Amino acid sequence: MTARLVVEKKETAADGVVVLTLRDPSGADLPEWTPGAHLDLEPAAGLVRQYSLCGDPHERSVYRVAVLREPGGRGGSAHVHDVLAEGDTVGVGGPRNHFALVDAPGYLFVAGGIGITPIVPMVAAAQAAGADWRLVYGGRSRSSMAFTELAERHPGRVELVPQDEAGLPDLAAVLGAAGDRPVYCCGPGGLLDAVAGMGAELGLDVHLERFTPADGALDGPQDAFEVELAGSGRVLEVPAGCSVLEALEGAGLTMLSSCREGTCGTCETGVLGGEPDHRDSLLSDDERAAGDVMMVCVSRSRSPRLVLDL
């Protein structure tokens, strides 16, 4: 964690969703961020989770994140909902952005459930730029969907699709009307997989942010290999079934990490030699082909040795 911030406000945004407003205790401006960025949040010791920033990037005095209660989660969201209170302090890392908004004359945004959070500042940026944009936002019910006021604020541009009222969004029709606009999608894995698959068939420029690993992303051989630390020349063995991150930690290196499943980007590490076997759910095809970074929590090596920028 790089800072400790105060919870200035804790507000209910929808059924099972709270929005935290975080401020520096001294009143200092917070580091800049861009739409699509997320924070590492440590609401209690040992609980580190990633949450997309959903406020205004121009408002440097505060950060805002929305947290969905996940009954089957690992305890982070439950702590935020049940224990964390206004006036408490939390550890914060970042912000980092692996879901950046490209410059374009228009956009198609597709959100499912809490996946609306990174889309909120993207919509604001697209509107401010005078872009031709559309948002299709689905959820279980209207009461469970945060930020539905976007539909009132931007009539004709935002389509709300509560499942209990209208079923699931017609993705074939939605994506079929995308034209040459880049598609930004965040939400449950099933939605992301469907958008990725249909988008590929239609030749669309699709950008995804996942909360859980893509289906099959972690599959593949678990053979042993070596990593060389460029700064010292030290060579470490990564045994079969052991991650690079675990090998580095076992050798006494302190590494930043959080999700340990290739979705948050906290452990991104430069690669100076060798060929990574990417198993994350973050990097684009072009970034994978470049091979100059990897997520050491899950990715492995296609070559006998990797040289890491450590």
Side-chain angles (χ1 to χ4, degrees):
M1 298 297 103
T2 57
R4 291 202 66 82
L5 303 182
V6 174
V7 179
E8 181 179 79
K9 291 182 182 178
K10 179 180 176 182
E11 305 167 285
T12 299
D15 293 346
V17 179
V18 295
V19 173
L20 303 179
T21 300
L22 309 175
R23 184 182 297 274
D24 188 282
S26 71
D29 280 352
L30 299 173
E32 294 181 7
W33 61 280
T34 54
H38 72 262
L39 292 179
D40 297 327
L41 191 71
E42 187 181 39
L47 290 175
V48 180
R49 304 291 184 266
Q50 289 71 44
Y51 299 108
S52 297
L53 285 157
C54 57
D56 180 356
H58 299 102
E59 189 178 5
R60 296 285 306 282
S61 61
V62 297
Y63 288 149
R64 289 188 176 88
V65 296
V67 181
L68 170 69
R69 178 189 289 277
E70 298 187 44
R74 296 174 292 166
S77 67
H79 186 92
V80 170
H81 278 257
D82 299 335
V83 179
L84 195 65
E86 293 180 355
D88 289 348
T89 62
V90 294
V92 170
R96 277 185 291 275
N97 198 340
H98 291 278
F99 193 45
L101 192 65
V102 298
D103 290 332
Y107 305 92
L108 172 61
F109 301 113
V110 181
I114 197 62
I116 189 63
T117 51
I119 302 299
V120 171
M122 289 185 175
V123 162
Q127 182 70 14
D132 175 24
W133 63 272
R134 179 189 180 200
L135 165 62
V136 178
Y137 172 24
R140 294 188 310 277
S141 64
R142 197 174 296 268
S143 65
S144 72
M145 297 166 66
F147 308 113
T148 54
E149 65 273 12
L150 288 171
E152 299 176 5
R153 196 178 306 156
H154 305 288
R157 291 189 180 272
V158 179
E159 180 183 357
L160 301 180
V161 190
Q163 186 176 352
D164 61 348
E165 299 176 21
L168 298 174
D170 185 349
L171 293 180
V174 170
L175 296 174
D180 59 357
R181 291 178 292 183
V183 179
Y184 279 79
C185 180
C186 185
L191 172 67
L192 296 173
D193 291 341
V195 169
M198 293 184 192
E201 292 177 4
L202 294 169
L204 300 178
D205 177 20
V206 176
H207 304 256
L208 306 175
E209 182 168 61
R210 294 182 179 272
F211 301 131
T212 57
D215 188 31
L218 305 180
D219 297 343
Q222 295 287 326
D223 299 337
F225 57 96
E226 295 178 337
V227 292
E228 178 181 339
L229 312 185
S232 63
R234 186 178 179 186
V235 176
L236 304 176
E237 181 181 359
V238 181
C242 174
S243 71
V244 177
L245 176 61
E246 290 167 340
L248 294 170
E249 291 175 334
L253 278 75
T254 300
M255 295 291 297
L256 289 175
S257 67
S258 180
C259 72
R260 293 180 179 254
E261 55 186 15
T263 60
C264 75
T266 305
C267 69
E268 181 176 317
T269 301
V271 178
L272 303 179
E275 182 183 0
D277 179 4
H278 296 291
R279 300 186 186 182
D280 64 273
S281 299
L282 277 169
L283 297 177
S284 67
D285 290 342
D286 288 344
E287 289 169 330
R288 288 169 179 253
D292 55 1
V293 296
M294 67 182 293
M295 307 305 160
V296 294
C297 65
V298 292
S299 296
R300 303 187 68 78
S301 181
R302 298 184 184 278
S303 52
R305 178 180 294 187
L306 290 175
V307 182
L308 302 182
D309 189 14
L310 292 172

